[in-house]
Amino acid sequence: MAAGVRPVTPPRSDPLVGLPLLEDLPEVRGRRVLVRADFNVPLRWPDGPEGSAEVADDFRIRAAMPTVDWLTGHGAEVTICSHLGRPQGRQDHRFEMTPVRARLAELAPGVELMDNLRFDPGEKADDPAFVDRLVSGFDSYVNDAFGVSHRAHASIVGPPARLPSAAGRLLAREVEALGGLLAHPARPFVAVVGGAKVTDKLGILRSLLDSVDRLIVGGGMAFTFLAAQGHAIGESLFDASALPSCRTLLAEAGDRVMLPVDVVVKRVTPGGGEEIEVVGPDLPDDSVGLDIGPRSAQHFAAVVAEAKTVFWNGPMGVFEDPRFAAGTYAVARAIAGGCGFSVVGGGDSVAALDQLGLAGQVDFVSTGGGASLELLEHGDLPGLVALRHAPNAAADR
């Protein structure tokens, strides 16, 4: 066995098992099918906030087309429902589905789109009365909204208790790709986790340590881990409440956890200007760490390049600022250029790939950042559980 590669542990159960697929639906020809999609897309207002909105990025709409095409190709009458933004359970013109409906009409003429689900407080409350209204008149239900399947909302967990149901093509692909990381990853398996808040990701870090050979931690969350090791972190992002958990995790993981060995910091000069420099791993008191340093980026990239399986969620720094983007870009290039099976989730990670034109060089780009982390942490999601209990779900599949 190669150095640094752990023995394969017994795989966790495959979340795809027992999930009814489109082919498991009753005959759909001439029937009405309700599809829950994730059309929570970014909008832009070319003429200002009072003008008409347009879809700024239609990736999520296009991602639902394999499911829509299968259903319409088999003669179904398809209606889609989705949320958009956070309207707080009331009508809000900023989150009208009009621009989404216009783009959908171009991609799938004749397919209807309901109003924003979250205009009704019953959606987030999983109100049975809201579910009854939602499914009224429909013969079958399809969940193709992986990005919100970790939410026990009415449109996710309600319909499968009332209608024959199935996972759409996108949902099934997400579960298959992420479930493969849980059940049978090729080794070495490397996970790269970044982002700002360590408390949001302690659970997934613990879970990943059950499976991975190396766990790379970057972004703002890395500074709490560095502090747990006794390093000075200046004025960098820090969560004192997470220190005990970070110490425990590091003690249990040993050298399988990789932290930055140098950091790109910003310091405010006496005259009010800014200085950018590379220091570390100990930071000056008056500095803020905003990216991993070049030695860390090189080391992380080398480990990623040798991996047979890679999962990445979260940037290595504040990559929106070009001065602090090098670490995130180095990881993105290493993942895209590697020979292993690569899965990337989370909006910031996907955005970095898009900025570099590398999204097409990654094996799987997840549409659900939070949902992908929940699935990897817990091995299941409320939306998947609901589908497995649909009336047409085979008990022994």
Side-chain angles (χ1 to χ4, degrees):
M1 181 175 297
V5 179
R6 297 186 305 137
V8 177
T9 55
R12 284 181 264 178
S13 59
D14 186 343
L16 197 61
V17 172
L19 208 63
L21 306 177
L22 294 177
E23 290 78 8
D24 299 309
L25 290 172
E27 173 63 51
V28 299
R29 186 169 300 278
R31 303 289 186 177
R32 296 191 68 206
V33 179
L34 176 66
V35 176
R36 178 38 161 121
D38 182 6
F39 287 173
N40 187 29
V41 298
L43 303 178
R44 61 170 173 260
W45 285 263
D47 301 319
E50 301 304 320
S52 298
E54 298 176 353
V55 173
D57 184 347
D58 67 354
F59 170 72
R60 290 184 173 179
I61 304 175
R62 290 183 286 108
M65 289 305 101
T67 292
V68 172
D69 291 345
W70 189 95
L71 290 168
T72 56
H74 284 76
E77 181 181 338
V78 176
T79 297
I80 297 176
C81 61
S82 176
H83 74 286
L84 177 64
R86 298 178 178 178
Q88 306 301 322
R90 62 180 184 272
Q91 292 283 140
D92 188 324
H93 76 277
R94 297 173 299 170
F95 304 116
E96 294 285 352
M97 300 300 289
T98 304
V100 182
R101 190 174 288 115
R103 181 58 181 135
L104 178 64
E106 297 173 349
L107 295 171
V111 173
E112 297 183 5
L113 178 62
M114 290 182 173
D115 289 335
N116 191 333
L117 289 168
R118 291 187 183 173
F119 283 171
D120 193 309
E123 163 66 354
K124 294 183 72 172
D126 187 22
D127 180 4
F130 177 75
V131 179
D132 289 340
R133 295 194 302 272
L134 184 65
V135 303
S136 178
F138 289 98
D139 301 292
S140 295
Y141 165 82
V142 174
N143 182 355
D144 212 26
F146 175 77
V148 286
S149 286
H150 60 313
R151 309 290 190 193
H153 290 175
S155 64
I156 298 295
V157 300
R162 294 162 170 79
L163 298 174
S165 301
R169 292 290 190 247
L170 174 62
L171 179 68
R173 284 177 56 237
E174 294 268 9
V175 173
E176 182 179 24
L178 293 164
L181 299 183
L182 294 174
H184 42 74
R187 295 188 179 275
F189 176 17
V190 175
V192 184
V193 183
K197 295 182 179 179
V198 66
T199 50
D200 290 349
K201 293 186 176 178
L202 275 173
I204 182 62
L205 293 178
R206 291 192 190 97
S207 183
L208 285 170
L209 279 172
D210 290 337
S211 302
V212 301
D213 301 294
R214 304 299 293 271
L215 175 60
I216 295 172
V217 178
M221 60 188 294
F223 295 109
T224 302
F225 280 97
L226 289 171
Q229 289 184 329
H231 293 293
I233 59 169
E235 299 177 358
S236 304
L237 194 63
F238 171 66
D239 185 346
S241 67
L243 267 178
S245 296
C246 290
R247 289 194 183 104
T248 300
L249 188 146
L250 289 170
E252 293 173 350
D255 62 1
R256 288 192 293 126
V257 173
M258 299 176 58
L259 297 173
V261 295
D262 59 345
V263 178
V264 181
V265 301
K266 179 176 72 173
R267 305 172 72 177
V268 178
T269 63
E274 294 179 349
E275 290 182 350
I276 309 299
E277 59 182 329
V278 177
V279 299
D282 291 293
L283 279 59
D285 291 342
D286 60 348
S287 67
V288 178
L290 296 172
D291 192 15
I292 60 173
R295 284 194 296 136
S296 300
Q298 184 178 15
H299 193 192
F300 290 177
V303 172
V304 166
E306 295 178 356
K308 298 300 182 185
T309 304
V310 180
F311 172 71
W312 178 30
N313 183 289
M316 298 293 98
V318 186
F319 78 103
E320 299 87 350
D321 187 326
R323 298 174 298 175
F324 312 113
T328 298
Y329 287 169
V331 167
R333 292 188 179 98
I335 292 173
C339 60
F341 179 74
S342 52
V343 177
V344 176
D348 288 335
S349 300
V350 176
L353 286 172
D354 286 339
Q355 290 175 15
L356 295 171
L358 297 175
Q361 297 181 42
V362 171
D363 292 295
F364 189 78
V365 176
S366 175
T367 59
S372 63
L373 293 177
E374 289 276 340
L375 181 57
L376 289 174
E377 180 177 351
H378 301 293
D380 216 341
L381 300 174
L384 306 183
V385 174
L387 288 174
R388 292 196 205 94
H389 287 85
N392 59 312
D396 59 349
R397 186 156 53 82

